[in-house]
Amino acid sequence: MRSFAIAASITALALGLNLGLTGPASAQSPIIIKFSHVVATDTPKGKASEKFKELAEKYTNGKVKVEVYPNSTLYKDKEELEALQLGSVQMLAPSNSKFGPLGIREFEVFDLPYILPDLKTLRKVTEGPLGAKLLKLLEPKGITGLAYWDNGFKQMSANKKLITPADYQGVKFRIQSSRVLQAQFKALGSLPQVMAFSEVYQALQTGVVDGQENTWSNIYTQKMHEVQKYITETNHGYIGYVVIVNKKFWDDLPADIRDQLSKAMKEATDFNNAQSQKENDDALAEIKKSGKSEIIKLTPEQDAAMRKAMEPVYKDAASRVGQPLIDEFQKEAKSATN
């Protein structure tokens, strides 16, 4: 019943917001692309979505109009993929974690702790045949994958110091909906709780959860550092996004429009990925300047202990993600460092 109610409300909203404008429109009307996302406008993803809007409208000479809805103003985490599949919104940029609940477990490989050690390895995956292979898995779900956008590497935060694996015992952590992330925190003895991104600040403020994991730019723009006493610089995991579009909508576009939008997406992707590291560096500097959170750096020995504590997560994930895919990621990581 809940799923039916969500679908009905999404359909009703679509009719109200976009009557007569879903899909390629007539020559008299611009083609409307609703681009919904859940983060702030002043994050890498927020800025890149605005860059895509600017370029898409420019390259199509106004034949396409992109409406960007940031900060969960249109749909929240749990609603947006269903909305895309229903055609109520045309474009999203969900994190890799969001595809597991949709039945495409392979994307959970991005959530494995320490599997992507640096940006060089990441680029080899997302810009190579392995990344393209993963995008193809979206098509049977009515989704076309257009690009991978970086957010950055994750840090741990809480109102207690997190230095050794033992420090995580009993800590309530907000997570995205991901079996891998559940296993990660259970391996540390924590209590993972799935929660929409838009609800995290209030949950931290009120003690519904004790901690969370995120990139510096997300922590800063969502003001999480104001309600967390400590942030441990772990770089243990990666948050990235897949820019996706409703497959029927995309396939029905005139070929020239699709080419122009692909060009705009390529440039917006380059823009996003160039911005990501800078924004994370700037956010870290601002968090330090605020003095509201103490930043903790682990010693090599402490880092090694964290990595060892999370080793069971790989075995847990292999049954869903597939050991061959994990092996391919690790092979890319090894070749990137040689």
Side-chain angles (χ1 to χ4, degrees):
M1 287 296 292
R2 175 173 169 77
S3 179
F4 176 80
I6 291 172
S9 65
I10 288 171
T11 303
L13 181 58
L15 290 171
L17 286 174
N18 202 25
L19 188 61
L21 290 176
T22 54
S26 66
Q28 290 79 23
S29 303
I31 297 166
I32 303 296
I33 296 178
K34 290 201 192 73
F35 191 159
S36 172
H37 65 78
V38 302
V39 300
T41 304
D42 56 347
T43 57
K45 178 163 70 172
K47 290 180 180 178
S49 60
E50 293 293 341
K51 175 62 73 174
F52 173 72
K53 169 184 168 65
E54 172 198 328
L55 295 172
E57 293 175 358
K58 173 185 171 184
Y59 291 152
T60 62
N61 293 315
K63 292 177 185 174
V64 169
K65 184 172 184 291
V66 180
E67 299 174 355
V68 179
Y69 297 89
N71 248 342
S72 305
T73 51
L74 196 57
Y75 298 110
K76 291 186 178 181
D77 285 348
K78 291 180 181 178
E79 304 166 347
E80 61 177 13
L81 277 169
E82 185 178 3
L84 183 97
Q85 290 175 302
L86 288 169
S88 304
V89 63
Q90 289 71 46
M91 191 173 286
L92 305 172
S95 65
N96 296 306
S97 303
K98 300 297 190 301
F99 299 109
L102 201 63
I104 312 167
R105 300 292 181 193
E106 289 85 351
F107 277 88
E108 289 184 12
V109 71
F110 284 101
D111 288 336
L112 282 167
Y114 304 108
I115 198 163
L116 292 166
D118 50 42
L119 285 175
K120 185 179 177 184
T121 305
L122 174 66
R123 291 283 173 269
K124 284 201 72 178
V125 170
T126 58
E127 295 178 2
L130 186 49
K133 181 171 78 172
L134 285 169
L135 292 182
K136 291 291 284 184
L137 299 175
L138 299 171
E139 294 183 3
K141 301 292 184 181
I143 297 169
T144 295
L146 299 179
Y148 292 93
W149 285 4
D150 289 354
N151 183 317
F153 290 94
K154 293 186 287 187
Q155 322 304 330
M156 299 283 199
S157 77
N159 284 323
K160 63 177 287 192
K161 290 186 177 183
L162 301 173
I163 298 172
T164 71
D167 296 328
Y168 289 79
Q169 283 283 340
V171 178
K172 292 179 291 184
F173 267 90
R174 175 267 172 178
I175 63 165
Q176 299 184 68
S177 181
S178 163
R179 292 278 294 277
V180 172
L181 297 181
Q182 281 186 322
Q184 170 186 288
F185 282 106
K186 284 181 178 177
L188 292 169
S190 302
L191 306 171
Q193 298 188 24
V194 175
M195 183 179 295
F197 182 75
S198 58
E199 298 169 7
V200 179
Y201 175 87
Q202 187 175 13
L204 292 169
Q205 186 182 43
T206 57
V208 172
V209 293
D210 306 312
Q212 60 84 48
E213 55 168 10
N214 240 303
T215 61
W216 292 117
S217 65
N218 277 353
I219 292 169
Y220 180 67
T221 57
Q222 295 292 319
K223 304 184 189 306
M224 295 176 195
H225 64 293
E226 296 182 359
V227 288
Q228 296 276 266
K229 291 179 183 176
Y230 304 100
I231 305 173
T232 305
E233 194 166 359
T234 51
N235 292 310
H236 65 282
Y238 167 75
I239 296 182
Y241 310 112
V242 184
V243 186
I244 57 175
V245 65
N246 177 282
K247 187 175 186 300
K248 185 178 187 310
F249 173 85
W250 186 253
D251 291 346
D252 286 349
L253 289 171
D256 61 325
I257 295 288
R258 200 162 49 238
D259 289 346
Q260 289 152 355
L261 292 176
S262 294
K263 179 183 177 185
M265 182 55 66
K266 170 71 170 66
E267 292 183 26
T269 299
D270 292 343
F271 171 84
N272 176 87
N273 293 346
Q275 283 287 306
S276 177
Q277 188 60 52
K278 179 184 181 302
E279 301 239 349
N280 280 302
D281 290 345
D282 290 347
L284 171 57
E286 290 298 323
I287 290 169
K288 285 179 177 177
K289 192 189 300 182
S290 77
K292 297 192 175 189
S293 285
E294 180 183 331
I295 311 296
I296 299 167
K297 289 183 76 74
L298 299 180
T299 66
E301 293 77 19
Q302 290 164 345
D303 179 69
M306 285 295 296
R307 289 170 184 267
K308 183 162 185 58
M310 293 194 198
E311 283 176 2
V313 182
Y314 280 71
K315 185 176 180 182
D316 176 83
S319 61
R320 295 186 314 279
V321 172
Q323 189 62 47
L325 181 60
I326 294 173
D327 292 343
E328 283 186 80
F329 264 65
Q330 291 178 322
K331 182 181 176 184
E332 292 290 7
K334 189 174 180 181
S335 65
T337 55
N338 288 340

